[in-house]
Amino acid sequence: MKNYSLRTRILLMASFFMLVFFSITAAVLDSAFTNATKSAEKEKLQLYILSLISSAEQQGRDLIIPAYQQESRFNEASSGLYGYVLDRAGRELWRSRSALTVSPVTARPQRPGKSSFGIDNTHVGVEYFVATYGTIEESHGKDYQYTFVVMQDNIAFQRALTSYRSDLWMWLAIVALLLLTTQHFLLSRGLRPLYNLAHELKDIEDGHIEALSDDYPKELSRLTGNLNRLVDSERKQRTRYHQRLGDLAHSLKTPLAVLTNAADESTVELHQLVKEQSQRMDQIVRYQLQRAVVSQQVTGITRVNILEHATQVKNALDKVYKDKAVLCQLHIPSESFFHGDQGDLLEMLGNLMDNAYKYGAGEVKVSVAEDSKQLQFIIEDNGPGIEEQAREKITQRGARLDTQEQGQGIGMAVVVDIINSYNGSFTINDSELLGAKFSLSFTKQHY
């Protein structure tokens, strides 16, 4: 049954319980009809007995009963209705004309005022309802006890019962069919949202739509909401992986450039340089993989010395941009610490200082200011600056203002992502050095 549809399962279960219910109902109704019909037969036979008693007359020792009775069926041979009178010992004293060809009655004598009703199945091929009633007659100071017996075949009863049962099962079958048809219709209507949900999920899988619609009953709204969040999370996760691949490539540019320049100079201590930059690239790879899994959240909280890592970035960029002879000033207190992930700090400083080296005219200034509430980074250069209407554009992934320089246009977007993960703020202004000024602010209680 596990391979059946939900509608088929419900219909099968409903059919089973409906069969049980209607079977019990049929049995109860059949029993009630049978008992009611038997009670009616009993009352009829008692009336026939009273009719015989009223026609009987005690004359001396003899009970005189007319040969012809008011009930015509007592007068017709084999009519199906038979009357008898028994004495105190159970001997037959009288029988109706209709009983002349019927076997003797098997009923027992009854005490005066007592009655009985039952079925006599001792006759071949037919059963009889048998009713008895005991009486007492007084004549010349003596009491004479009699038992009046009336028998009636149950052929009419069996026919009525058979007809009733046939009609009962026919109507129960019709009602069951109507109920199943109605249930099928209601299930089709009631399960329609589930079919729509399955179709929409298929459309999402095929890429035709991006999310489930809101047109679902409240019983499914929580499910569809969770599915939408799951789909959105999966889509964002996939996007993060794509973005982090680009970020990884972007972050590896500087170490690769350092190695490339060092390879062209025989005076550089290549062994130490390769070791340093290899460690840096390994750190970058692990950092980007970690960010690909944990999105928009701080990946690790540590106390990172800002001056030490800014100096590390400066030394690497000095080698990359050696031909430009950039003067980079670091105004960073030695006791200033960034409370966050070391990779995040290197990523922010690396991207912003690299842009300052690249687009500046030979002068870069990196400052850090802090108080009890806030930590602020300021990176300035003496380049052409950034027009106000273009400042928002450069923070978008893939956007670049200068197409002459090499790059993918994702460095600033990475910086903004990291700042947002620490609930920080980011602004671009004009620098006192006549170039661009990038300000990063972090509220200490939030990072």
Side-chain angles (χ1 to χ4, degrees):
M1 194 171 176
K2 63 180 181 180
N3 294 326
Y4 293 162
S5 67
L6 186 60
R7 180 173 61 180
T8 302
R9 293 184 183 190
I10 295 176
L11 286 175
L12 288 176
M13 293 297 293
S15 300
F16 172 75
F17 286 110
M18 196 175 298
L19 176 62
V20 173
F21 172 78
F22 282 132
S23 297
I24 295 175
T25 302
V28 172
L29 292 176
D30 182 81
S31 176
F33 178 81
T34 302
N35 292 333
T37 306
K38 285 183 177 180
S39 296
E41 292 294 330
K42 178 181 179 180
E43 291 178 0
K44 287 169 56 178
L45 295 185
Q46 287 175 345
L47 290 175
Y48 292 143
I49 289 177
L50 292 177
S51 174
L52 291 177
I53 293 175
S54 64
S55 68
E57 182 180 358
Q58 183 72 32
Q59 294 182 0
R61 296 182 177 182
D62 300 323
L63 182 68
I64 306 303
I65 302 176
Y68 288 91
Q69 294 293 316
Q70 185 177 359
E71 174 58 47
S72 60
R73 293 176 62 196
F74 282 127
N75 306 321
E76 299 173 5
S78 302
S79 65
L81 179 64
Y82 315 109
Y84 303 85
V85 179
L86 307 180
D87 63 10
R88 184 192 301 266
R91 294 187 296 268
E92 184 179 309
L93 298 179
W94 177 88
R95 67 167 55 188
S96 65
R97 286 179 172 272
S98 60
L100 294 178
T101 59
V102 179
S103 301
V105 68
T106 58
R108 293 184 178 182
Q110 292 289 342
R111 296 179 64 184
K114 300 295 182 180
S115 63
S116 68
F117 177 81
I119 296 177
D120 184 354
N121 53 10
T122 61
H123 301 268
V124 179
V126 64
E127 290 183 346
Y128 292 94
F129 289 118
V130 180
T132 64
Y133 186 78
T135 64
I136 186 170
E137 298 290 341
E138 182 179 358
S139 178
H140 303 293
K142 291 186 177 181
D143 293 334
Y144 298 92
Q145 293 185 11
Y146 304 102
T147 300
F148 287 80
V149 181
V150 173
M151 292 198 318
Q152 178 176 274
D153 63 47
N154 67 353
I155 295 176
F157 169 79
Q158 292 295 340
R159 288 176 180 172
L161 188 59
T162 301
S163 177
Y164 172 79
R165 288 173 175 172
S166 177
D167 291 342
L168 175 64
W169 281 108
M170 180 186 70
W171 285 109
L172 287 178
I174 292 174
V175 172
L177 183 61
L178 289 175
L179 287 176
L180 286 175
T181 303
T182 303
Q183 188 173 44
H184 177 78
F185 172 76
L186 293 177
L187 283 174
S188 298
R189 297 289 297 176
L191 295 177
R192 178 70 59 184
L194 292 179
Y195 294 125
N196 294 339
L197 177 60
H199 290 155
E200 286 197 350
L201 288 174
K202 184 64 168 60
D203 289 339
I204 291 176
E205 183 181 350
D206 295 338
H208 300 314
I209 59 176
E210 293 187 355
L212 298 172
S213 65
D214 297 329
D215 188 22
Y216 285 97
K218 62 180 182 180
E219 291 83 1
L220 293 178
S221 59
R222 185 172 182 179
L223 171 64
T224 56
N226 289 336
L227 287 175
N228 275 335
R229 285 189 288 272
L230 179 62
V231 170
D232 184 62
S233 175
E234 190 276 335
R235 185 181 295 112
K236 288 181 178 179
Q237 182 69 34
R238 188 167 59 248
T239 301
R240 285 198 300 272
Y241 279 123
H242 292 162
Q243 291 177 349
R244 297 308 168 236
L245 287 175
D247 296 349
L248 178 60
H250 183 269
S251 300
L252 291 175
K253 287 193 308 178
T254 299
L256 290 174
V258 172
L259 292 176
T260 300
N261 292 342
D264 295 335
E265 299 179 5
S266 58
T267 58
V268 177
E269 296 182 2
L270 189 59
H271 175 76
Q272 181 63 27
L273 192 60
V274 168
K275 182 178 179 180
E276 291 177 356
Q277 296 307 314
S278 296
Q279 291 175 347
R280 172 64 182 143
M281 285 190 286
D282 177 69
Q283 184 182 26
I284 290 172
V285 170
R286 286 188 284 108
Y287 166 74
Q288 293 294 352
L289 288 177
Q290 188 178 27
R291 289 194 69 213
V293 176
V294 184
S295 172
Q296 303 299 327
Q297 296 179 358
V298 179
T299 57
I301 300 297
T302 56
R303 293 176 77 248
V304 185
N305 187 278
I306 301 175
L307 178 60
E308 177 183 339
H309 290 80
T311 301
Q312 179 181 344
V313 174
K314 173 184 178 299
N315 292 337
L317 292 175
D318 285 341
K319 294 181 175 64
V320 175
Y321 295 96
K322 182 178 181 180
D323 294 340
K324 294 186 67 173
V326 177
L327 173 62
C328 179
Q329 304 176 55
L330 300 180
H331 297 279
I332 304 174
S334 59
E335 66 276 7
S336 292
F337 291 91
F338 176 73
H339 293 266
D341 186 84
Q342 173 182 317
D344 290 340
L345 177 63
L346 288 173
E347 194 71 22
M348 290 187 296
L349 291 177
N351 280 296
L352 293 174
M353 291 175 66
D354 180 69
N355 286 340
Y357 270 76
K358 182 186 299 183
Y359 298 109
E363 186 175 356
V364 175
K365 182 179 177 182
V366 180
S367 306
V368 171
E370 66 176 321
D371 53 29
S372 60
K373 297 182 179 179
Q374 183 173 268
L375 174 69
Q376 186 178 40
F377 294 81
I378 300 174
I379 295 91
E380 305 174 79
D381 63 64
N382 63 341
I386 301 174
E387 296 181 0
E388 187 172 351
Q389 61 270 24
R391 290 173 183 175
E392 183 178 353
K393 178 181 178 181
I394 66 171
T395 62
Q396 300 173 3
R397 184 172 291 270
R400 298 177 59 218
L401 300 181
D402 185 3
T403 57
Q404 301 299 318
E405 294 287 346
Q406 295 181 353
Q408 293 81 27
I410 61 176
M412 293 302 301
V414 171
V415 172
V416 172
D417 285 344
I418 296 173
I419 294 172
N420 290 337
S421 69
Y422 288 90
N423 297 320
S425 61
F426 176 71
T427 59
I428 303 176
N429 297 298
D430 294 327
S431 170
E432 295 179 356
L433 301 179
L434 304 180
K437 176 182 177 181
F438 298 88
S439 300
L440 290 64
S441 299
F442 300 92
T443 302
K444 287 188 176 181
Q445 61 183 5
H446 289 137
Y447 82 94

